[in-house]
Amino acid sequence: EVHMSIHYALQKRDLYTNLEYKIGRERSSITEYDVVTMISIPVNSNELLLISTEPRADYLKIIDFIHAALDSQKNSE
């Protein structure tokens, strides 16, 4: 199941990358299921962070927190 989640997240990332010239760079993707919410956040061109949460978690807070942490890490390099 984990491998399938990764596979589908990478497929969606490829789709969004192909549309980047028109809609901009992907910042996050959210897929809600009955029992879990999946969040994918591109870290760089080679890495994708996948997060699973409870169905009604405040995923916008989670996304903001991850973006802040990634930005902080980039700034410290």
Side-chain angles (χ1 to χ4, degrees), residues 20-70:
E20 190 172 290
Y21 75 96
K22 189 158 186 131
I23 59 176
R25 182 178 57 91
E26 178 190 5
R27 295 191 34 84
S28 64
S29 176
I30 303 156
T31 306
E32 292 181 292
Y33 299 97
D34 291 334
V35 297
V36 67
T37 297
M38 301 296 292
I39 304 167
S40 62
I41 300 174
V43 175
N44 56 42
S45 61
N46 297 318
E47 297 176 305
L48 185 66
L49 176 62
L50 298 175
I51 303 163
S52 60
T53 70
E54 296 293 323
R56 291 295 179 192
D58 188 350
Y59 51 77
L60 294 178
K61 261 188 192 175
I62 295 167
I63 291 169
D64 288 343
F65 177 82
I66 298 297
H67 282 164
L70 291 172

